Amino acid sequence: MFKKVLPFFVVMILFVACSNNDTPSNNVTEDTNVETEEPQFPVTVDVEGKDVTVEAVPKNILPMSLEVAEIVLELTTPEDITATTKGIDDPLLSTKVEEGKQVEERIGAATNIDPEEIIALDTDLLIMTKMYGSFH
């Protein structure tokens, strides 16, 4: 399941990178609204040789580690984040403490995941880095 999450993380980064850049990436196909300069959906992205189509702007995002939460908070607003890790509240660990306060729910760190808790959050997009190993 977590191997399927990686392409969505790539899509999220590419979505934001394209929306903040005047020249679109070579591997993203999008229509641009001239007035707002925001990509129109669906957006198709090449991920490891496979086309991945994102039908709509991701909402209800769940970053499953602190570093991912900080990246997601750079790319979107706290309102789009369903929950974040407990470490977001620690100013010694996080650079996004103030933004993190706007996200109500907290989950355990990436290595202490409670699957039932994650399912109950009913998110649209789960994001985790590969550094936490393989999950089967």
Side-chain angles (χ1 to χ4, degrees), residues 13-120:
I13 289 174
L14 289 174
F15 164 70
V16 173
C18 289
S19 67
N20 292 329
N21 192 347
D22 291 334
T23 57
S25 174
N26 292 346
N27 61 354
V28 176
T29 305
E30 64 179 60
D31 293 325
T32 302
N33 181 332
V34 176
E35 291 178 22
T36 63
E37 295 186 19
E38 292 182 13
Q40 298 296 306
F41 284 84
V43 174
T44 301
V45 181
D46 179 275
V47 178
E48 298 180 2
K50 296 180 183 178
D51 284 345
V52 176
T53 301
V54 179
E55 298 295 332
V57 175
K59 300 287 182 187
N60 301 323
I61 301 165
L62 179 58
M64 297 180 65
S65 63
L66 177 59
E67 65 275 10
V68 172
E70 289 185 329
I71 292 168
V72 172
L73 281 165
E74 283 286 327
L75 303 176
T76 189
T77 62
E79 294 80 25
D80 292 337
I81 300 174
T82 304
T84 188
T85 60
K86 296 171 186 170
I88 200 83
D89 300 316
D90 187 339
L92 297 175
L93 297 175
S94 176
T95 61
K96 299 291 181 187
V97 173
E98 290 306 312
E99 294 91 335
K101 288 178 183 177
Q102 298 175 46
V103 180
E104 291 184 29
E105 295 288 328
R106 297 289 181 267
I107 61 169
T111 56
N112 295 316
I113 296 170
D114 177 1
E116 291 178 4
E117 177 184 34
I118 302 306
I119 291 168

